[in-house]
Amino acid sequence: MTTLPRLVLVALTAVLALAVTPAVTPAVTLAAAPAQAAACATDPATPKRQLRAMWISSVANIDWPSRTGLSVSAQQAEFRAWLDLAVQRRMNAVVVQVRPTADTFWPSSLEPWSQWLTGSQGGDPGYDPLAFMVGEAHARNLELHAWFNPYRVANHDDPSRLQATHPARRNPGWRFAYDGKLYYNPGLPVVRDFIQDVIMDAVSRYDLDGVHLDDYFYPYPAGGQAIPDAAAYAEHGDGFANVHDWRRENVNLLVRELDRRIHAAKPWVSFGVSPFGIWRNAGTDPLGSRTSGLQSYDAIYADTRLWVKQGWVDYIAPQIYWHIGFGTADYEVLTAWWAGVVRGTGVQLLIGQAAYRAGASGQDAAWQDRAELSDHLHVNRRHPEVAGDIFFSAKDVRANRIDAFSTLAAAHYAKPALLPARGTSAAPAAPAITSATRGSGGVALAWQGGGTSYAVHRVNGTPATADPCAFADARNLLTTTRRTTFTDTTATAGTAYTYYVSALNRTHQESAPSAGRAVTGSGGGFSVVIDNADPGFTASSGWGTSAFSGQPHGADYRFADPVAASDPAWYRASIPSAGSYRVEVWHPADAGYNSATPYIITDNRTVYVDQRTGGGQWRSLGDFTLAAGTYNVVGVSRWTSTSGYVIADAIRITRL
């Protein structure tokens, strides 16, 4: 995984290479939907299943804790904030570094407490961070994948700086120094067993959802330096024609044996690796990718393609940290290559995304385009093998430089998503909704079921039977939760809905939906729709009118070319009272429309919407505090650096 020293390496290889009484209304139980949906037209912008995660790095205090020596309450508050960010951006997993430098984020009898907690290796932080992290993640229905760096001992080469009881200090024969750092020697069977024992200690004691290894296997090569493992090769290298094949087999053994041990202990725990993005170049190996960068097979002895083909991992998450069109390592080329590698294997493909590059100084011009990250996920849609993405790292997701992550989230994470299913275990039985009550705070649901988690769906109206296609993608998915209650605070007063709940097991196999539970409209709520043909809409002569698309709200919509000038189309509305309102937009979608259309909310907030997808439906811009009065509430701006028509069709404003 990219860490502070790794940033330099990635840059070098690149050169080489988001007080009233409740009015109670009756709820009606409706027939359940069929368990198997017929062939349905689905929206690629709202996939039913997609892993969405970010790496939370602890080494060098990159993400968490933000510095050493924080109090227990401060550390915990920081971690909760990272999880809340993940939820706010509609992620469903986090990958947390729990063993960064051969020291641990849990009380281990095998290795000392991590220095990144207290500032002193071996220093007790006063609580069990891993137990805390798992509990907090699961409370938000986020999977927690524990991230282990297998061989790195220290980011320095002075053994005397290690805690006196550190295994690498007590066993000097286990380690070597290389390029100013200390490593466990991958060629020693005793080391391989020890590393697995440390990881299995965490697996056996904590309710982890995944075990995750990063890209640090043998050290990345440093010019003019040789890995000092000749003695180990002499002792353990019988049967290998050269040291390079022997080194690769050492790493193969770690991966293969760890896979077996994890699944023998807990079959539901997912095991994955996030390697450097290039296995081998086609110029070296015809099985390789059309790239010309550093080759992990040769440089760090990671035969990642073999691990996939042999099924030694549940998922592979290559770090494809280069932009679309980069000559040395093109994102499109590598994504297609990895999709081909996993095809037919049962191994899931996740893509490691370089959120740290978007909008950062010193990066290529492509990374100054707010749509670059979002466009990566458009590329992913061409490959059904891509099961999701992991973003490096949490602080960059939060920074949201040049609105790059907001742009991605608006285009791809507008709705929640279930996690991809793993394995072949049987789905749980369908749950049963026991109550659905509308009140001033929304619609309160309760149900009974035997799932590990649940998915809550809502459709408009009260159909006699559910349409199976309503569950084919996530357009009707409200949330996932490990609880058996949920309050739909987005329910609009006066609108009738039908709710369904499905149950998921630990590996995310999904039950049939429950019988539907209908809630009638209560009336009295404020909601207004303003179409481009209504009196509340105004636009200059620079905006044309079109009925080209089959997805308009009403008879037509307005369009305009982007310009570097202020020429917004405005929607004027009468807001009855100051308060919180949801603002939604409707637009047709087309590949030739703009990937980052700016919507201006009256409080000077701007939300960028990718109008190439997600058309023909209401899309939420968010919840905003609006003042009472009649004024221009929402504008569609032409001022965007991305190409393609900007579209102004309709908006909906609803009092919450």
Side-chain angles (χ1 to χ4, degrees), residues 251-268:
V251 182
N252 289 343
L253 287 170
L254 176 75
V255 172
R256 184 170 68 213
E257 292 170 3
L258 189 55
D259 172 64
R260 290 174 179 170
R261 291 185 66 177
I262 291 168
H263 292 118
K266 294 183 176 180
W268 61 88

Side-chain angles (χ1 to χ4, degrees), residues 329-470:
D330 187 331
Y331 181 87
E332 290 185 282
V333 168
L334 277 166
T335 302
W337 184 85
W338 280 103
V341 169
V342 305
R343 191 172 298 129
T345 65
V347 175
Q348 293 176 352
L349 173 59
L350 310 175
I351 306 297
Q353 300 284 359
Y356 73 93
R357 288 191 160 181
S361 61
Q363 296 293 339
D364 293 346
W367 291 104
Q368 307 310 319
D369 179 354
R370 70 167 62 93
E372 176 66 30
L373 268 183
S374 180
D375 285 345
H376 288 199
L377 271 65
H378 282 292
V379 171
N380 293 359
R381 291 183 189 178
R382 304 174 200 161
H383 306 288
E385 296 83 6
V386 178
D389 301 87
I390 313 176
F391 298 88
F392 190 86
S393 69
K395 67 181 177 60
D396 301 291
V397 172
R398 181 177 64 187
N400 191 31
R401 290 179 298 273
I402 63 172
D403 288 314
F405 204 89
S406 292
T407 300
L408 179 149
H412 306 280
Y413 293 174
K415 300 292 290 184
L418 307 184
L419 282 151
R422 304 192 294 263
T424 58
S425 64
I433 300 176
T434 56
S435 64
T437 307
R438 186 191 290 275
S440 60
V443 176
L445 303 172
W447 59 88
Q448 295 176 341
T452 300
S453 63
Y454 300 90
V456 181
H457 311 262
R458 183 188 74 191
V459 299
N460 287 350
T462 56
T465 58
D467 178 0
C469 292

Side-chain angles (χ1 to χ4, degrees), residues 530-534 537-540 543-546 551-561 567-571 585-588 593-594 597-599 611 634-638 645-651:
I530 305 168
D531 185 80
N532 67 282
D534 293 336
F537 178 88
T538 56
S540 74
W543 290 79
T545 302
S546 176
Q551 299 177 320
H553 184 280
D556 56 28
Y557 55 97
R558 306 295 290 272
F559 69 97
D561 285 310
D567 183 28
W570 283 106
Y571 296 88
V585 299
W586 183 294
H587 63 83
Y593 294 166
N594 203 279
T597 295
Y599 282 81
Q611 295 185 326
V634 179
V636 184
S637 175
R638 299 173 63 187
Y645 288 133
V646 295
I647 304 300
D649 194 349
I651 68 161

Side-chain angles (χ1 to χ4, degrees), residues 31-245:
Q36 290 291 99
C40 302
T42 58
D43 183 356
T46 57
K48 182 181 181 72
R49 294 184 183 270
Q50 183 179 56
L51 185 138
R52 304 166 180 173
M54 62 185 182
W55 280 291
I56 301 177
S57 302
S58 59
V59 68
N61 300 114
I62 290 176
D63 295 314
W64 181 79
S66 62
R67 59 182 175 85
T68 58
L70 293 174
S71 67
V72 171
S73 60
Q75 283 189 8
Q76 293 181 344
E78 282 191 353
F79 192 77
R80 290 189 184 102
W82 288 126
L83 298 184
D84 291 342
L85 173 65
V87 171
Q88 185 254 330
R89 288 303 193 185
R90 293 196 175 93
M91 294 181 178
N92 46 30
V94 289
V95 183
V96 186
Q97 194 171 31
V98 301
R99 182 184 181 262
T101 48
D103 48 13
T104 67
F105 273 57
W106 73 95
S108 170
S109 62
L110 300 174
E111 288 186 321
W113 281 109
S114 177
Q115 63 175 309
W116 309 112
L117 288 166
T118 63
S120 176
Q121 193 170 71
D124 189 334
Y127 72 114
D128 185 337
L130 186 51
F132 166 78
M133 291 187 289
V134 170
E136 291 290 325
H138 287 175
R140 294 161 176 80
N141 199 28
L142 294 167
E143 279 204 334
L144 189 137
H145 293 232
W147 163 18
F148 303 84
N149 184 287
Y151 298 116
R152 181 173 58 203
V153 173
N155 284 332
H156 59 77
D157 60 3
D158 182 0
S160 69
R161 292 171 57 186
L162 300 175
Q163 188 195 34
T165 58
H166 195 295
R169 188 168 176 180
R170 290 188 289 106
N171 300 279
W174 288 13
R175 67 176 193 254
F176 60 69
Y178 181 84
D179 194 28
K181 299 178 179 64
L182 291 176
Y183 297 89
Y184 279 127
N185 189 336
L188 301 179
V190 65
V191 164
R192 185 170 68 250
D193 291 343
F194 175 76
I195 291 170
Q196 292 178 41
D197 289 345
V198 172
I199 294 173
M200 290 307 301
D201 179 50
V203 170
S204 63
R205 293 169 55 195
Y206 298 90
D207 191 18
L208 304 179
D209 300 289
V211 169
H212 182 93
L213 303 185
D214 56 23
D215 59 318
Y216 287 104
F217 296 102
Y218 274 85
Y220 277 89
Q225 298 187 41
I227 296 174
D229 61 352
Y233 177 49
E235 183 176 356
H236 301 288
D238 287 350
F240 292 91
N242 57 69
V243 70
H244 307 291
D245 290 343

Side-chain angles (χ1 to χ4, degrees), residues 542-618:
W543 290 79
T545 302
S546 176
F548 168 79
S549 173
Q551 299 177 320
H553 184 280
D556 56 28
Y557 55 97
R558 306 295 290 272
F559 69 97
D561 285 310
V563 293
S566 180
D567 183 28
W570 283 106
Y571 296 88
R572 185 177 181 86
S574 296
I575 305 302
S577 60
S580 181
Y581 293 79
R582 173 155 296 119
V583 177
E584 299 166 286
V585 299
W586 183 294
H587 63 83
D590 186 88
Y593 294 166
N594 203 279
S595 65
T597 295
Y599 282 81
I600 307 166
I601 316 303
T602 188
D603 62 354
N604 293 322
R605 290 184 59 180
T606 301
V607 178
Y608 297 91
V609 173
D610 186 342
Q611 295 185 326
R612 298 173 300 180
T613 60
Q617 61 183 316
W618 290 111

